[in-house]
Amino acid sequence: MIDRRLLLASVAGMFGLAALRMLKPSPARSAGKFEIEKSDAEWRARLTPQQYEILRNQGTERPWSSALLKEHRKGVFACAGCDLPLFSSETKFESGTGWPSFYRPLENAVGTIEDRSDGMVRTEVHCRRCGGHLGHVFDDGPKPTGLRYCMDGLALVFHPATPSPS
Ligand SMILES: [Zn+2]
């Protein structure tokens, strides 16, 4: 009898943990409906496993791993999930953190939500169109905004500006 109760309790415990794990990484998705909604399977098919882990599972890439750190051309950084333009190269700066950093997003490009995961209170930044997780914003950035949008390079794709015809 006791064994059976213990067994049931531990099974319930495991399910509880699994449910928590599934619920935890969803501040972006719980923020409401997004213009672009896809099933989990569709996102997995569209994104690389690393992109999926960041955009759909609030993951974080290793610092200094992004090729976009060295991207200094003029252009636009768009969402890797839905290609919405998010940041202009004009607002990119060297933060020294190892993640691509910007002091201001484009108009109507991102949404933010309080993120209390990992024992910290941070402001999570996501694409306003597909809800994809992009990174966090901190208030230790440069002028003129004083903000530091600390982005995962894998959540972004760079589109170089088309050179003006000469
Ligand atoms: Zn998006």
Side-chain angles (χ1 to χ4, degrees):
M1 205 54 189
I2 286 172
D3 281 356
R4 192 178 155 78
R5 270 214 306 270
L6 271 177
L7 183 69
L8 282 175
S10 60
V11 168
M14 282 192 297
F15 274 109
L17 269 183
L20 268 183
R21 286 186 72 86
M22 286 169 73
L23 283 174
K24 181 213 145 204
S26 60
R29 271 170 283 175
S30 62
K33 284 278 172 195
F34 292 100
E35 213 174 296
I36 292 183
E37 300 260 355
K38 293 183 192 294
S39 71
D40 200 53
E42 284 173 314
W43 282 121
R44 281 185 191 277
R46 184 188 163 88
L47 303 169
T48 67
Q50 293 92 337
Q51 285 175 325
Y52 177 90
E53 180 56 25
I54 292 165
L55 286 162
R56 310 313 306 176
N57 212 19
Q58 331 304 112
T60 303
E61 72 192 9
R62 271 187 309 110
W64 306 109
S65 64
S66 174
L68 294 184
L69 288 168
K70 296 196 192 91
E71 182 55 75
H72 298 301
R73 287 173 291 171
K74 279 188 190 223
V76 160
F77 296 83
C79 174
C82 73
D83 213 29
L84 179 71
L86 300 175
F87 295 94
S88 160
S89 58
E90 313 267 307
T91 62
K92 190 171 186 284
F93 70 97
E94 301 302 326
S95 65
T97 59
W99 288 282
S101 302
F102 305 84
Y103 62 76
R104 180 167 46 214
L106 293 171
E107 193 92 0
N108 196 24
V110 305
T112 57
I113 195 166
E114 186 176 283
D115 173 11
R116 290 182 170 268
S117 66
D118 300 328
M120 293 175 268
V121 181
R122 293 175 294 174
T123 304
E124 189 261 359
V125 179
H126 56 268
C127 170
R128 69 108 180 126
R129 187 160 69 175
C130 73
H133 171 76
L134 306 168
H136 292 87
V137 57
F138 303 92
D139 60 7
D140 56 6
K143 286 177 180 176
T145 60
L147 296 174
R148 171 170 61 93
Y149 285 82
C150 184
M151 300 291 103
D152 288 292
L154 283 171
L156 304 172
V157 283
F158 180 69
H159 298 305
T162 36
S164 46
S166 50

